Amino acid sequence: MNTVDRRHFLKWLGAASALGAMGLPSLAFPKSGARVIVVGGGFGGVTCAKYLKRFDSSLSVTLVSATNKFTTCPFSNAVIGGMKNMDFITHGYDKLSSVHGVKVVNDTVTTVDSSAKKIKTAGGKSMGYDRLVLSPGIDFKWDAIGGYSEAASQQMPHSWHGGPQTVLLRKQLEAMPNGGLVVIAPPGNPFRCPPGPYERASLIAHYLKNNKPRSKILILDAKDKFSKQPLFQDAWADLYPDLIEWVPGSQGGKLDRVDVKRMTVYAGGDKHKASVVNIIPPQKAASIAFKAGLTNEKGWCPVNQKTFESKIKSGIHVIGDASIAGKMPKSGYAASSQGKVCAAEIVAALRGESVGASSWVNTCYSLVAPEYGISVAAVYRLTDKGIMPVEGAGGVGDREAPMMQRKMEAIYAEGWYKSITSDMFG
Amino acid sequence: MKQKLLRISVVVTSVFFIWVANVSLAADYRPAMLANPCAGCHGTDGASPGSIPSIKGLSSSHLVSVMKAFKSGERKGTVMNRIARGYTDEEIELMAKHFSSAK
């Protein structure tokens, strides 16, 4: 190569590199500019909206949330137990719009028209989409327990949505007499946050032990076993002997009915008059999933296990508690993990690319006392049987673990909360 | 003329390789898909705002050795032994690279 040739070559190479740096990647990373609407301002929806923008900033992403702030269920038991206040579990969407460019609309979706690809809201808005993500959470089967209703939840709170119901249960515990009875009635599977009722019993026990020690907690369970059971029961025997009694479904735990006026619960032929009654009713996907025609006969949404696109209607993805996601539990961490996978699948589909294999994680801490934490964890993969935990990994903590580990897990429980909420709202 | 042809072929080849490199980068969602769920505990891109250790920007070899030690049980953690067993060594290396180069 002579000098001229070399100079030419370098020029060519420069042009080629410039193409490589700017021109060609637009083919390799096509910006779709498509419109994605995400419905639901909780763990699944917020994470999905934020990660859609992280993966492709050219997308037009709108998050529709019924409230302008989100109160988490995680750590609401710490509010009920008097360890945290409501501010700790309440988060705003400001950064989602100001930092990440997600358009946040405070409204309730009333209609989903999957053929016209449009939604309508209670506030009278009509919005078109290329892809729709629903992360609507759960509703209750109000008529499943005789004598119970939505109105009855003002006397016998469910406190299974973070917010006013959390405050109501806390106030009732503060007002109850020393020596009173607290009834907690968890539902059968599947339901949101499987270890939640037992963490709640633990943290209420912690409050009662220190403030109203002659009181008792009776857990009237629809089930015969529950999440992290050995770890919870070991801790109860250790920390709250004679304070918590758990009655399994087959031994009188199943509710027959409740009498709200008399604050009385009937179960297994017995009658329990209580100071505080926490009924956690059986659940189903939130109403918008039914209105959109996305639910099966059991009241949950079947989805493609890779993309979370509805098996019933195309162009609509369902994530979080409302969806049937293989063996993943209905938890905030699971919903957030699904939100990221769903976001990547949508971006890839709009670009004509393939995500390849995905993995999901769920790590769930429960507090048994302020300095006593326990956990269950799993890594999930897509298999021919749907989303399954990786064998040989995950599981609950060691029953024989030293107290130092319990203490560390209590510290990490709060660390987890800070991380996941900043991953969503930060 | 011969030289010119050679030059063009060199240029075409370089453009082709740069293009292929970018396509494979675009198609490779895998490291991010493996690493994104970790943010639930370790914070976005591994930058933890609370009590759980940050892993963002740590050296790849350090992350690999810690994860492998959790996986084998050589190092005792709280949940990390249970989590690390869910990944192959190759996946651990991909995740480590992802967190070490996170911006």
Side-chain angles (χ1 to χ4, degrees):
Chain A
M1 242 183 243
N2 62 31
T3 321
V4 177
D5 276 343
R6 195 182 293 124
R7 202 185 306 137
H8 270 135
F9 175 72
L10 290 173
K11 212 170 136 192
W12 265 98
L13 194 64
S17 305
L19 268 176
M22 297 181 301
L24 283 170
S26 67
L27 295 175
F29 294 92
K31 300 284 181 193
S32 67
R35 300 159 306 164
V36 184
I37 296 178
V38 182
V39 179
F43 283 84
V46 169
T47 309
C48 187
K50 179 170 163 180
Y51 274 74
L52 278 164
K53 288 297 276 186
R54 274 170 64 90
F55 292 145
D56 185 346
S57 59
S58 81
L59 287 175
S60 157
V61 179
T62 304
L63 178 76
V64 186
S65 170
T67 51
N68 63 359
K69 286 201 158 113
F70 178 61
T71 308
T72 63
C73 275
F75 270 80
S76 66
N77 285 331
V79 175
I80 289 163
M83 296 153 50
K84 296 285 181 199
N85 59 29
M86 287 298 284
D87 283 348
F88 185 81
I89 59 168
T90 305
H91 306 268
Y93 301 109
D94 317 16
K95 285 188 180 166
L96 213 55
S97 49
S98 67
V99 177
H100 303 288
V102 173
K103 189 180 170 197
V104 181
V105 175
N106 293 137
D107 210 334
T108 304
V109 177
T110 50
T111 319
V112 174
D113 183 342
S114 60
S115 47
K117 293 197 162 187
K118 268 187 182 161
I119 61 162
K120 281 186 183 161
T121 70
K125 286 194 183 73
S126 176
M127 291 183 265
Y129 63 82
D130 297 302
R131 292 271 172 167
L132 179 66
V133 180
L134 294 187
S135 187
I138 53 141
D139 274 348
F140 299 112
K141 295 179 176 172
W142 292 112
D143 55 0
I145 298 163
Y148 198 66
S149 63
E150 187 166 8
S153 71
Q154 292 306 309
Q155 281 77 48
M156 295 182 172
H158 54 79
S159 310
W160 221 241
H161 290 307
Q165 280 274 313
T166 313
V167 177
L168 179 60
L169 182 53
R170 175 65 196 158
K171 283 192 174 152
Q172 289 186 345
L173 290 165
E174 284 172 342
M176 73 174 263
N178 186 4
L181 175 69
V182 177
V183 168
I184 300 174
N189 294 320
F191 67 105
R192 162 181 284 178
C193 190
Y198 315 97
E199 179 190 63
R200 176 170 292 177
S202 308
L203 296 184
I204 292 175
H206 172 75
Y207 167 73
L208 295 176
K209 183 182 173 180
N210 291 310
N211 295 279
K212 292 160 187 177
R214 289 188 289 112
S215 310
K216 258 201 78 168
I217 298 170
L218 186 63
I219 305 174
L220 297 173
D221 209 326
K223 305 177 291 300
D224 280 345
K225 50 183 185 179
F226 60 87
S227 172
K228 305 178 196 168
Q229 185 170 347
L231 296 183
F232 272 117
Q233 289 182 321
D234 287 353
W236 292 345
D238 193 18
L239 300 173
Y240 314 116
D242 308 322
L243 214 162
I244 299 177
E245 185 189 346
W246 174 67
V247 186
S250 64
Q251 291 168 49
K254 248 184 203 147
L255 298 194
D256 299 321
R257 65 187 175 93
V258 298
D259 184 333
V260 176
K261 268 191 197 151
R262 293 184 175 82
M263 283 299 280
T264 302
V265 177
Y266 296 84
D270 287 329
K271 180 179 164 184
H272 309 278
K273 180 142 177 56
S275 300
V276 176
V277 179
N278 171 214
I279 302 285
I280 306 165
Q283 297 155 25
K284 58 185 177 181
S287 65
I288 189 64
F290 285 83
K291 284 183 196 161
L294 302 170
T295 51
N296 70 5
E297 70 290 351
K298 288 183 175 160
W300 304 102
C301 303
V303 294
N304 177 309
Q305 303 282 278
K306 179 167 162 53
T307 62
F308 289 81
E309 187 168 3
S310 166
K311 283 184 176 172
I312 301 172
K313 293 197 174 173
S314 65
I316 304 179
H317 301 250
V318 187
I319 56 173
D321 295 348
S323 71
I324 304 168
K327 292 280 181 194
M328 292 186 83
K330 298 188 185 303
S331 78
Y333 200 131
S336 165
S337 197
Q338 291 158 15
K340 293 170 187 178
V341 170
C342 180
E345 290 286 350
I346 287 173
V347 168
L350 291 168
R351 292 172 172 177
E353 293 174 353
S354 164
V355 169
S358 285
S359 64
W360 299 262
V361 172
N362 180 61
T363 301
C364 165
Y365 291 100
S366 300
L367 290 175
V368 187
E371 297 196 338
Y372 192 124
I374 57 176
S375 63
V376 64
V379 177
Y380 295 89
R381 301 296 171 104
L382 184 56
T383 72
D384 50 10
K385 289 176 197 150
I387 301 171
M388 299 289 284
V390 176
E391 268 181 55
V396 292
D398 183 1
R399 232 177 138 172
E400 306 304 324
M403 268 317 290
M404 191 58 203
Q405 173 150 346
R406 308 288 182 230
K407 198 170 176 177
M408 285 309 296
E409 293 204 359
I411 292 168
Y412 287 157
E414 194 161 333
W416 164 79
Y417 186 79
K418 283 195 176 153
S419 285
I420 199 161
T421 51
S422 79
D423 195 32
M424 296 161 65
F425 298 102
Chain B
M1 190 62 203
K2 205 173 167 191
Q3 229 178 15
K4 200 174 177 184
L5 268 179
L6 182 74
R7 208 164 62 207
I8 288 169
S9 76
V10 166
V11 167
V12 166
T13 311
S14 359
V15 168
F16 176 76
F17 277 116
I18 290 164
W19 183 72
V20 164
N22 274 303
V23 167
S24 65
L25 192 68
D28 200 1
Y29 284 73
R30 207 166 154 226
M33 296 317 287
L34 285 164
N36 281 334
C38 308
C41 288
H42 289 281
T44 309
D45 295 324
S48 165
S51 58
I52 293 178
S54 267
I55 51 176
K56 182 180 181 174
L58 294 183
S59 88
S60 176
S61 60
H62 173 67
L63 286 169
V64 168
S65 70
V66 170
M67 276 292 275
K68 285 185 179 170
F70 277 136
K71 189 179 167 183
S72 70
E74 190 191 331
R75 178 170 169 176
K76 290 263 176 280
T78 53
V79 299
M80 280 315 295
N81 300 100
R82 288 174 267 161
I83 302 268
R85 288 199 301 270
Y87 299 96
T88 65
D89 287 355
E90 188 221 353
E91 288 169 339
I92 286 172
E93 279 159 27
L94 286 173
M95 286 189 278
K97 261 188 212 155
H98 182 89
F99 286 116
S100 72
S101 62
K103 294 277 186 296

